[in-house]
């Protein structure tokens, strides 16, 4: 049986959606936008792409590790953002890397990095290629001899498991499913499931400070990193494995979120959990979004720490099929390896009832087998969530602008912040060529001091101008986010797309300190040029 083939131009596998489902997406969008017939742009084929000749020649000593195969070069040109897919549909791959390298060992990686340094080639670190902020694109200018995309897919093993401390040393290029499969035999799990889980890597999660499965408590990969091993152009940095330390600024934190600009993460010791065997979940309806927000704040400050605490506004419930489009819906869940969870759920539902939350007793799902398929609104939303990137690729071909932005802000600012961001997004949609569209919101993660709202924009773009229209919407909402006190990104990283607003958020003196670190670890500035640091 032939292996499934990944798209070189978009999300996931070429057969990720059946033709029938694609037609359903087209019909649903036609209904929402009032379109009688779509002028569909077909996805690109390799034969259509005018790929630039490679500027670099692979040295004999690295022939077995490197490739200039057109498919590999095209596949490593972009991440998976809306901007990336639109440009792929335009057959624009002018920033394709010249060479793609596939190191199998740390020694291979060091040799590749030394070669890049010697010939002044940019080294672009590539995990699963799921960046949605322009984090893997070789936009390097003329000061480099070329670009080498360094793909870590061969560094994909769980190397050591410490069952006593519940931790494991794992190579950075491992994808989510392979990691969980290898940990399963020990009865352990990282329990970190971003939307990109199927294709993204441990090293990518760490380098981008990714957000995962849990809506409270262990929300970011930061919380799960025990120590790191990093290859830099100046040598190896390996941090001490400790449960906690007060010995100065944390060296791990220097590389967590560094987005491949300071070094290449090759291994990490990460904190694990026993695989859950007890689960309970419920869907709670609220008459309006703000009532749900108040309930979520109460839950976040209660010390209950639900694993799932995702609030969908009415528009989000309608789009996903998780509700009627009139009410807000809270997806609430708890899980544990150790204890039954009924008392936690009872108390959480009491908190929801204080703010008008209603639920049907039959909607509470409890089981002691994590393999049992969950049902109801939560499972409907989860399925839509997992398939959303595939749907997005279909919509790009229709000329629909469909993209997201996410942030975080403190509770005392949230109402003003949310209203301001929604107004900015809706105004931008209306004013840019009179676009027909809407904005929805869900809260994905919550903390005792604030939520992380996640917004989705859908608009009917002008054929041939969708990218430019989205850029204008993006600029408007990003300015609003920064002006109203939020962060430009809660868990999607900075990349190139967020850079102008990251520079506003970042304290100037800290930026100078980061430059000094860059000059120490990567004095020739070959690692991911233009990301985080000029």
């Amino acid at each position: 049986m032939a292996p499934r083939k990944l798209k070189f131009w978009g999300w996931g596998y070429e057969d990720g959606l059946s033709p029938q489902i694609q037609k359903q997406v087209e019909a649903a969008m036609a209904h929402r936008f009032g379109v009688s017939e779509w002028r569909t742009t077909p996805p690109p084929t390799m034969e259509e792409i005018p790929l630039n000749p490679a500027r670099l020649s692979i040295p004999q000593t690295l022939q077995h590790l490197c490739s200039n195969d057109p498919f590999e070069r095209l596949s490593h040109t972009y991440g998976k953002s809306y901007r990336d897919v639109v440009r792929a549909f335009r057959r624009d791959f002018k920033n394709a890397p010249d060479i793609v390298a596939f190191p199998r060992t740390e020694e291979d990686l060091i040799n590749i990095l030394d070669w890049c340094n010697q010939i002044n080639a940019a080294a672009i670190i590539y995990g699963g290629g799921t960046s949605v902020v322009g984090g893997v694109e070789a936009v390097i200018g003329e000061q480099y001899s070329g670009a080498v995309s360094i793909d870590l897919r061969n560094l994909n093993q769980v190397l050591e498991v410490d069952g006593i401390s519940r931790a494991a040393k794992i190579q950075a290029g491992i994808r989510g499913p392979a990691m969980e499969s290898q940990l399963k035999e020990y009865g352990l799990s990282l329990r970190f499931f971003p939307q990109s889980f199927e294709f993204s890597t441990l090293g990518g999660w760490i380098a981008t400070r990714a957000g995962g499965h849990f809506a409270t408590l262990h929300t970011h990969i930061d919380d799960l990193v025990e120590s790191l091993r990093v290859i830099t152009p100046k040598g190896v940095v390996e941090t001490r494995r400790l449960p906690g330390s007060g010995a100065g600024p944390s060296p791990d934190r220097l590389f967590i979120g560094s987005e491949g600009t300071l070094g290449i993460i090759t291994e990490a010791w990460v904190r694990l959990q026993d695989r859950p065997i007890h689960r309970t979940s419920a869907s709670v309806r609220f008459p309006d979004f703000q009532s749900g927000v108040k309930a979520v704040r109460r839950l976040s400050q209660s010390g209950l720490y639900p694993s799932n605490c995702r609030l969908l506004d009415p528009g989000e419930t309608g789009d996903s099929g998780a509700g009627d489009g009139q009410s807000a819906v809270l997806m609430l869940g708890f899980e544990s390896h150790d204890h039954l969870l009924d008392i936690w759920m009872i108390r959480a539902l009491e908190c929801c009832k204080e703010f008008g939350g209603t639920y049907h007793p039959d909607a509470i799902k409890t089981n002691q087998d994590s393999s049992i398929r969950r049902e109801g609104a939560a499972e409907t939303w989860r399925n839509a969530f997992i398939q959303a990137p595939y749907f997005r690729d279909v919509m790009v071909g229709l000329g629909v602008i469909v993209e997201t932005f996410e942030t975080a802000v403190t509770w005392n600012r949230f109402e003003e912040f949310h209203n301001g961001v929604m107004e900015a997004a809706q105004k931008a949609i209306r004013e840019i060529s009179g676009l027909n569209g809407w904005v929805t919101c869900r809260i994905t993660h919550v903390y005792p001091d604030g939520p992380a709202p996640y917004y989705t924009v859908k608009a009917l773009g002008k054929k041939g101008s969708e990218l430019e229209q989205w850029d204008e919407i993006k600029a408007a909402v990003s300015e609003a986010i920064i002006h109203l006190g939020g962060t430009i990104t809660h868990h999607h990283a900075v990349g190139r797309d967020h850079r102008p607003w990251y520079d506003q958020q970042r304290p100037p003196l800290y930026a100078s300190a980061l430059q000094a670190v860059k000059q120490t670890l990567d004095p020739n500035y070959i690692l991911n040029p233009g990301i985080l640091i000029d």
Side-chain angles (χ1 to χ4, degrees):
M1 185 175 178
R4 299 175 73 188
K5 190 172 183 179
L6 290 168
K7 298 174 184 172
F8 72 86
W9 53 268
W11 179 265
Y13 295 108
E14 289 183 348
D15 61 351
L17 284 185
S18 68
Q20 179 183 6
I21 294 179
Q22 292 184 48
K23 291 295 183 183
Q24 290 174 359
V25 173
E26 293 179 15
M29 289 298 100
H31 177 72
R32 287 299 302 268
F33 286 113
V35 174
S36 58
E37 185 177 356
W38 292 110
R39 290 192 298 128
T40 304
T41 302
T45 63
M46 286 184 55
E47 294 72 26
E48 298 175 290
I49 309 301
L51 190 59
N52 294 329
R55 292 164 290 185
L56 305 175
S57 298
I58 304 170
Q60 187 64 38
T61 55
L62 299 177
Q63 288 280 346
H64 62 300
L65 301 175
C66 297
S67 171
N68 56 14
D69 174 76
F71 178 80
E72 295 296 353
R73 292 181 64 197
L74 293 172
S75 298
H76 289 76
T77 301
Y78 290 127
K80 301 296 183 286
S81 72
Y82 172 76
R83 297 191 82 255
D84 296 334
V85 178
V86 170
R87 287 180 293 166
F89 267 77
R90 292 181 177 183
R91 282 61 175 166
D92 175 8
F93 284 79
K94 64 177 178 289
N95 291 324
D98 300 279
I99 303 293
V100 182
F102 301 93
R104 299 171 301 188
T105 65
E106 272 194 6
E107 183 180 0
D108 290 343
L109 180 56
I110 291 169
N111 290 336
I112 292 165
L113 209 53
D114 285 347
W115 171 56
C116 291
N117 239 333
Q118 290 165 12
I119 66 171
N120 191 38
I124 313 297
I125 321 309
Y126 192 97
T130 58
S131 169
V132 292
V133 291
V136 298
E137 187 179 352
V139 182
I140 60 171
E142 297 182 357
Q143 61 267 47
Y144 296 91
S145 61
V148 179
S149 179
I150 303 177
D151 188 318
L152 302 183
R153 68 177 64 174
N154 294 320
L155 302 179
N156 58 10
Q157 297 299 308
V158 174
L159 300 174
E160 185 179 346
V161 174
D162 174 0
I164 296 174
S165 308
R166 269 195 340 191
K169 181 167 70 171
I170 305 175
Q171 291 183 305
I174 195 168
R175 287 184 182 177
M179 179 183 63
E180 287 297 325
S181 176
Q182 293 180 45
L183 291 174
K184 189 174 183 179
E185 64 180 283
Y186 300 95
L188 297 170
S189 170
L190 186 63
R191 297 301 294 151
F192 188 82
F193 300 106
Q195 186 179 28
S196 61
F197 173 78
E198 184 178 5
F199 303 107
S200 54
T201 64
L202 174 63
W205 301 341
I206 296 170
T208 60
R209 295 187 71 186
H213 165 75
F214 285 107
T216 66
L217 203 57
H218 302 302
T219 60
H220 274 76
I221 196 67
D222 312 34
D223 305 317
L224 304 175
V225 173
E226 208 175 44
S227 71
L228 295 174
R229 184 172 170 86
V230 185
I231 307 299
T232 81
K234 293 294 287 183
V236 178
V237 177
E238 186 165 11
T239 67
R240 180 166 295 197
R241 184 186 163 214
L242 296 165
S245 174
S250 167
D252 293 321
R253 290 278 176 169
L254 183 63
F255 297 102
I256 297 172
S258 62
E259 300 190 32
T261 61
L262 303 179
I264 304 173
I265 299 165
T266 58
E267 297 174 3
W269 275 96
V270 291
R271 300 178 176 95
L272 305 176
Q273 300 177 48
D274 295 311
R275 300 180 77 86
I277 56 176
H278 305 291
R279 276 202 177 100
T280 184
S281 62
S283 299
V284 184
R285 294 177 59 176
F286 290 90
D288 55 72
F289 186 59
Q290 287 300 333
S291 297
V293 168
K294 292 174 183 177
V296 167
R297 181 171 69 85
R298 174 65 61 85
L299 288 168
S300 72
Q301 296 172 348
S302 67
L304 291 169
Y305 299 119
S307 58
N308 195 4
C309 191
R310 286 173 168 79
L311 179 67
L312 284 59
D313 75 2
E316 186 88 13
T317 68
D319 280 359
S320 65
D324 57 10
Q326 303 300 314
S327 305
V329 174
L330 174 64
M331 309 297 184
L332 188 60
F334 294 87
E335 58 184 48
S336 171
H337 173 84
D338 178 74
H339 51 268
L340 295 172
L341 299 159
D342 296 20
I343 191 168
W344 275 263
M345 180 58 80
I346 289 170
R347 177 58 194 140
L349 292 172
E350 287 174 350
C351 292
C352 293
K353 288 170 67 176
E354 292 179 35
F355 300 95
T358 59
Y359 61 94
H360 194 283
D362 292 342
I364 302 173
K365 305 294 181 182
T366 301
N367 66 67
Q368 296 184 29
D369 182 352
S370 60
S371 67
I372 293 176
R373 182 177 176 84
R374 286 160 286 181
E375 299 176 348
E379 183 64 14
T380 299
W381 180 83
R382 179 179 177 276
N383 289 338
F385 176 70
I386 296 299
Q387 290 187 305
Y390 285 107
F391 295 163
R392 185 276 315 273
D393 286 1
V394 175
M395 286 186 263
V396 169
L398 304 178
V400 174
I401 298 170
V402 51
E403 185 56 296
T404 65
F405 55 95
E406 40 77 46
T407 180
V409 71
T410 52
W411 287 116
N412 65 312
R413 291 181 171 183
F414 177 71
E415 185 171 357
E416 178 186 4
F417 177 89
H418 174 69
N419 291 338
V421 169
M422 290 289 284
E423 181 181 350
Q426 291 163 344
K427 181 180 179 183
I429 290 172
R430 288 194 307 269
E431 291 183 350
I432 298 167
S433 303
L435 294 179
N436 171 14
W438 63 92
V439 189
T440 62
C441 178
R442 65 179 182 268
I443 291 177
T444 60
H445 301 76
V446 289
Y447 307 92
D449 51 346
Y454 191 112
Y455 299 88
T456 299
V457 172
K458 289 192 175 96
L460 189 58
K462 181 180 178 182
K463 269 293 186 181
S465 301
E466 300 94 337
L467 183 59
E468 294 73 19
Q469 290 174 323
W470 164 248
D471 285 346
E472 291 189 48
I473 297 169
K474 171 69 174 175
V477 298
S478 296
E479 290 294 338
I481 284 171
I482 293 298
H483 174 71
L484 293 167
T487 174
I488 192 57
T489 176
H490 172 261
H491 59 267
H492 279 172
V494 175
R496 289 181 172 80
D497 295 355
H498 287 151
R499 180 66 193 279
W501 300 282
Y502 170 67
D503 285 356
Q504 294 181 46
Q505 180 176 331
R506 178 175 62 183
L509 194 56
Y510 175 74
S512 299
L514 196 57
Q515 281 277 10
V517 174
K518 175 75 168 176
Q519 290 167 355
T520 299
L521 297 176
D522 179 23
N524 292 331
Y525 283 68
I526 65 167
L527 293 175
N528 273 21
I531 302 292
L532 297 183
I533 301 165
D534 291 327

